[in-house]
Protein backbone atom coordinates (compact mmCIF):
# COMPACT_ATOMS: atom_id res chain seq x y z
CA UNK A 1 0.00 0.00 0.00
CA UNK A 2 1.66 3.22 -1.15
CA UNK A 3 2.38 6.12 1.14
CA UNK A 4 1.53 9.69 0.19
CA UNK A 5 4.13 12.41 0.36
CA UNK A 6 2.90 15.36 2.38
CA UNK A 7 3.80 18.57 0.54
CA UNK A 8 3.26 20.92 3.47
CA UNK A 9 6.97 21.59 3.89
CA UNK A 10 7.94 22.15 0.27
CA UNK A 11 10.28 25.12 -0.30
CA UNK A 12 8.35 28.19 -1.32
CA UNK A 13 5.10 26.91 0.18
CA UNK A 14 3.51 29.74 2.16
CA UNK A 15 0.33 29.84 4.19
CA UNK A 16 -2.57 27.40 4.15
CA UNK A 17 -4.05 26.08 0.91
CA UNK A 18 -7.46 27.41 -0.13
CA UNK A 19 -7.30 30.12 2.52
CA UNK A 20 -8.45 33.71 2.13
CA UNK A 21 -9.51 36.53 4.40
CA UNK A 22 -13.03 37.40 3.28
CA UNK A 23 -13.00 40.51 5.45
CA UNK A 24 -11.80 41.49 8.89
CA UNK A 25 -12.89 38.89 11.41
CA UNK A 26 -13.62 36.21 8.79
CA UNK A 27 -11.05 33.58 7.77
CA UNK A 28 -12.18 31.30 4.94
CA UNK A 29 -10.48 27.91 4.42
CA UNK A 30 -11.80 26.00 1.43
CA UNK A 31 -15.23 27.55 1.83
CA UNK A 32 -15.47 26.85 5.56
CA UNK A 33 -15.21 29.63 8.12
CA UNK A 34 -12.33 29.07 10.55
CA UNK A 35 -10.62 30.93 13.37
CA UNK A 36 -7.39 30.68 15.36
CA UNK A 37 -7.84 29.03 18.74
CA UNK A 38 -5.60 29.05 21.81
CA UNK A 39 -4.78 25.38 22.38
CA UNK A 40 -2.89 25.59 25.67
CA UNK A 41 -5.41 27.94 27.24
CA UNK A 42 -8.76 27.76 25.48
CA UNK A 43 -8.75 24.13 24.34
CA UNK A 44 -7.41 22.73 27.62
CA UNK A 45 -9.91 24.79 29.60
CA UNK A 46 -12.78 23.67 27.35
CA UNK A 47 -11.87 19.99 27.69
CA UNK A 48 -11.31 20.26 31.46
CA UNK A 49 -14.69 21.96 31.94
CA UNK A 50 -16.52 19.33 29.89
CA UNK A 51 -14.83 16.56 31.87
CA UNK A 52 -15.85 18.24 35.12
CA UNK A 53 -19.50 18.73 34.20
CA UNK A 54 -20.12 15.76 31.88
CA UNK A 55 -17.42 13.19 32.66
CA UNK A 56 -14.55 11.89 30.55
CA UNK A 57 -16.42 9.51 28.26
CA UNK A 58 -19.08 12.04 27.29
CA UNK A 59 -16.37 14.66 26.71
CA UNK A 60 -14.41 12.41 24.36
CA UNK A 61 -17.56 11.42 22.52
CA UNK A 62 -18.50 15.09 22.03
CA UNK A 63 -15.01 15.93 20.71
CA UNK A 64 -15.12 13.00 18.29
CA UNK A 65 -18.58 13.99 17.03
CA UNK A 66 -17.39 17.58 16.64
CA UNK A 67 -14.50 16.42 14.47
CA UNK A 68 -16.81 14.19 12.45
CA UNK A 69 -19.01 17.22 11.76
CA UNK A 70 -16.22 19.19 10.03
CA UNK A 71 -17.47 21.15 7.00
CA UNK A 72 -14.19 21.85 5.20
CA UNK A 73 -14.16 18.72 3.02
CA UNK A 74 -17.79 19.16 1.95
CA UNK A 75 -17.37 22.84 1.16
CA UNK A 76 -14.12 22.22 -0.75
CA UNK A 77 -15.76 19.46 -2.82
CA UNK A 78 -18.73 21.68 -3.65
CA UNK A 79 -16.43 24.50 -4.75
CA UNK A 80 -14.23 22.19 -6.80
CA UNK A 81 -11.12 22.89 -4.74
CA UNK A 82 -10.60 19.17 -4.13
CA UNK A 83 -11.80 16.12 -6.06
CA UNK A 84 -13.39 12.86 -4.94
CA UNK A 85 -10.08 11.09 -5.42
CA UNK A 86 -7.13 9.86 -3.40
CA UNK A 87 -5.36 13.12 -4.20
CA UNK A 88 -8.37 15.03 -2.85
CA UNK A 89 -8.19 13.15 0.45
CA UNK A 90 -4.45 13.81 0.67
CA UNK A 91 -5.03 17.51 -0.04
CA UNK A 92 -7.56 17.67 2.81
CA UNK A 93 -5.10 16.08 5.24
CA UNK A 94 -2.41 18.50 4.08
CA UNK A 95 -4.68 21.47 4.81
CA UNK A 96 -5.53 20.08 8.25
CA UNK A 97 -1.80 19.86 8.96
CA UNK A 98 -1.10 23.35 7.58
CA UNK A 99 -3.84 24.77 9.79
CA UNK A 100 -1.82 23.83 12.88
CA UNK A 101 -3.52 20.66 14.06
CA UNK A 102 -0.35 18.59 13.68
CA UNK A 103 1.98 17.16 11.04
CA UNK A 104 -0.29 14.39 9.77
CA UNK A 105 1.41 12.01 7.35
CA UNK A 106 -0.40 9.42 5.24
CA UNK A 107 1.72 6.29 5.56
CA UNK A 108 -0.61 3.88 3.73
CA UNK A 109 -3.73 4.38 1.64
CA UNK A 110 -6.07 2.22 -0.44
CA UNK A 111 -8.59 4.86 -1.40
CA UNK A 112 -11.12 2.70 -3.25
CA UNK A 113 -11.73 0.66 -0.08
CA UNK A 114 -11.58 3.65 2.29
CA UNK A 115 -8.45 2.43 4.06
CA UNK A 116 -5.71 4.72 5.34
CA UNK A 117 -3.03 4.71 8.01
CA UNK A 118 -2.05 8.18 9.16
CA UNK A 119 0.63 9.17 11.67
CA UNK A 120 1.41 12.41 13.47
CA UNK A 121 4.39 13.29 15.65
CA UNK A 122 2.92 16.45 17.15
CA UNK A 123 -0.88 16.17 17.31
CA UNK A 124 -2.33 19.26 18.97
CA UNK A 125 -4.58 17.17 21.23
CA UNK A 126 -1.80 14.96 22.55
CA UNK A 127 0.44 18.00 22.99
CA UNK A 128 -2.33 19.83 24.87
CA UNK A 129 -2.89 16.83 27.14
CA UNK A 130 0.80 16.46 27.95
CA UNK A 131 1.25 20.20 28.52
CA UNK A 132 -0.48 20.08 31.88
CA UNK A 133 -1.01 16.41 32.83
CA UNK A 134 0.76 13.12 33.20
CA UNK A 135 0.53 10.45 30.55
CA UNK A 136 -2.83 8.99 29.60
CA UNK A 137 -3.74 5.31 29.68
CA UNK A 138 -5.53 5.58 26.35
CA UNK A 139 -5.46 7.70 23.15
CA UNK A 140 -6.79 11.25 23.47
CA UNK A 141 -6.95 12.60 19.89
CA UNK A 142 -10.70 12.18 19.53
CA UNK A 143 -11.32 15.36 17.54
CA UNK A 144 -8.65 14.54 14.95
CA UNK A 145 -9.90 10.96 14.72
CA UNK A 146 -13.33 12.31 13.82
CA UNK A 147 -11.96 14.84 11.31
CA UNK A 148 -9.84 12.28 9.45
CA UNK A 149 -12.75 9.84 9.28
CA UNK A 150 -15.02 12.59 7.95
CA UNK A 151 -12.46 13.46 5.25
CA UNK A 152 -12.40 9.86 4.03
CA UNK A 153 -16.17 9.38 4.20
CA UNK A 154 -16.95 12.64 2.42
CA UNK A 155 -14.30 12.43 -0.29
CA UNK A 156 -14.56 8.70 -1.03
CA UNK A 157 -18.34 8.53 -0.75
CA UNK A 158 -18.00 5.45 1.48
CA UNK A 159 -20.00 5.64 4.69
CA UNK A 160 -19.45 2.23 6.31
CA UNK A 161 -16.08 3.34 7.66
CA UNK A 162 -14.61 3.59 11.15
CA UNK A 163 -11.50 5.19 12.62
CA UNK A 164 -9.25 4.03 15.44
CA UNK A 165 -6.32 5.74 17.13
CA UNK A 166 -3.92 2.86 17.76
CA UNK A 167 -1.00 4.89 19.13
CA UNK A 168 -0.86 8.21 20.93
CA UNK A 169 1.86 10.54 22.14
CA UNK A 170 -0.19 11.12 25.29
CA UNK A 171 0.29 7.43 26.13
CA UNK A 172 4.03 7.66 25.68
CA UNK A 173 4.08 6.28 22.12
CA UNK A 174 6.58 7.72 19.64
CA UNK A 175 3.72 9.10 17.50
CA UNK A 176 -0.02 9.13 17.12
CA UNK A 177 -1.41 6.62 14.62
CA UNK A 178 -4.86 6.56 13.08
CA UNK A 179 -6.35 3.68 11.08
CA UNK A 180 -9.41 4.26 8.89
CA UNK A 181 -11.29 1.44 7.16
CA UNK A 182 -14.28 -0.85 7.00
CA UNK A 183 -15.20 -2.83 10.10
CA UNK A 184 -14.28 -6.18 8.52
CA UNK A 185 -10.86 -4.94 7.40
CA UNK A 186 -10.07 -3.40 10.79
CA UNK A 187 -11.20 -6.44 12.75
CA UNK A 188 -9.17 -8.66 10.42
CA UNK A 189 -6.13 -6.69 11.59
CA UNK A 190 -7.08 -7.41 15.19
CA UNK A 191 -8.31 -3.86 15.84
CA UNK A 192 -11.32 -3.19 18.04
CA UNK A 193 -13.85 -0.57 16.98
CA UNK A 194 -14.35 1.98 19.81
CA UNK A 195 -17.79 1.81 21.39
CA UNK A 196 -19.22 4.69 23.38
CA UNK A 197 -21.11 4.19 26.60
CA UNK A 198 -24.36 5.99 27.36
CA UNK A 199 -24.30 9.79 27.26
CA UNK A 200 -25.62 11.84 30.18
CA UNK A 201 -28.87 12.41 28.28
CA UNK A 202 -29.18 8.73 27.47
CA UNK A 203 -28.46 7.82 31.11
CA UNK A 204 -31.08 10.35 32.20
CA UNK A 205 -33.67 8.90 29.82
CA UNK A 206 -32.80 5.41 30.99
CA UNK A 207 -33.20 6.48 34.63
CA UNK A 208 -36.58 8.06 33.82
CA UNK A 209 -37.74 4.81 32.24
CA UNK A 210 -36.56 2.82 35.27
CA UNK A 211 -38.34 5.19 37.67
CA UNK A 212 -41.49 4.99 35.56
CA UNK A 213 -41.32 1.20 35.65
CA UNK A 214 -40.67 1.29 39.40
CA UNK A 215 -43.77 3.47 39.97
CA UNK A 216 -45.87 1.15 37.80
CA UNK A 217 -44.77 -1.92 39.74
CA UNK A 218 -45.37 -0.17 43.08
CA UNK A 219 -48.91 0.75 42.01
CA UNK A 220 -49.53 -2.83 40.93
CA UNK A 221 -48.25 -4.08 44.31
CA UNK A 222 -50.49 -1.65 46.19
CA UNK A 223 -53.45 -2.79 44.12
CA UNK A 224 -52.60 -6.48 44.67
CA UNK A 225 -52.14 -5.87 48.42
CA UNK A 226 -55.56 -4.23 48.50
CA UNK A 227 -57.08 -7.21 46.70
CA UNK A 228 -55.31 -9.58 49.07
CA UNK A 229 -56.60 -7.60 52.06
CA UNK A 230 -60.15 -7.89 50.74
CA UNK A 231 -59.72 -11.62 50.16
CA UNK A 232 -58.36 -12.03 53.70
CA UNK A 233 -61.35 -10.17 55.16
CA UNK A 234 -63.77 -12.28 53.16
CA UNK A 235 -61.92 -15.43 54.24
CA UNK A 236 -62.07 -14.33 57.88
CA UNK A 237 -65.81 -13.65 57.59
CA UNK A 238 -66.39 -17.06 55.99
CA UNK A 239 -64.41 -18.77 58.77
CA UNK A 240 -66.38 -16.94 61.46
CA UNK A 241 -69.64 -17.97 59.80
CA UNK A 242 -68.53 -21.59 59.65
CA UNK A 243 -67.58 -21.48 63.34
CA UNK A 244 -71.02 -20.11 64.26
CA UNK A 245 -72.79 -22.82 62.29
CA UNK A 246 -70.90 -25.45 64.20
Amino acid sequence: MPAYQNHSHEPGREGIKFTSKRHKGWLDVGGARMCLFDICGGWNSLVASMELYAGEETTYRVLYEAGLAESFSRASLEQGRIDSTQEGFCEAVDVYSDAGFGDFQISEIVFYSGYARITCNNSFEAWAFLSNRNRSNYPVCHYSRGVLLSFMKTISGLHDLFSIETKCLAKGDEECEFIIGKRFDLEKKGLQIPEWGLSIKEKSERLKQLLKEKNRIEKELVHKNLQLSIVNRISATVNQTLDLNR
Side-chain angles (χ1 to χ4, degrees), residues 22 36 47 79 83 87 93 108 112 150 160 196 210:
R22 184 176 298 186
L36 298 179
V47 173
Q79 295 185 7
D83 301 318
E87 184 67 23
V93 175
E108 299 176 29
Y112 68 85
S150 178
D160 55 336
W196 300 112
L210 290 174

Side-chain angles (χ1 to χ4, degrees), residues 114-125:
Y115 174 84
R117 183 171 70 87
I118 303 165
T119 60
C120 183
N121 61 15
N122 57 2
S123 161
F124 87 98
E125 289 169 272

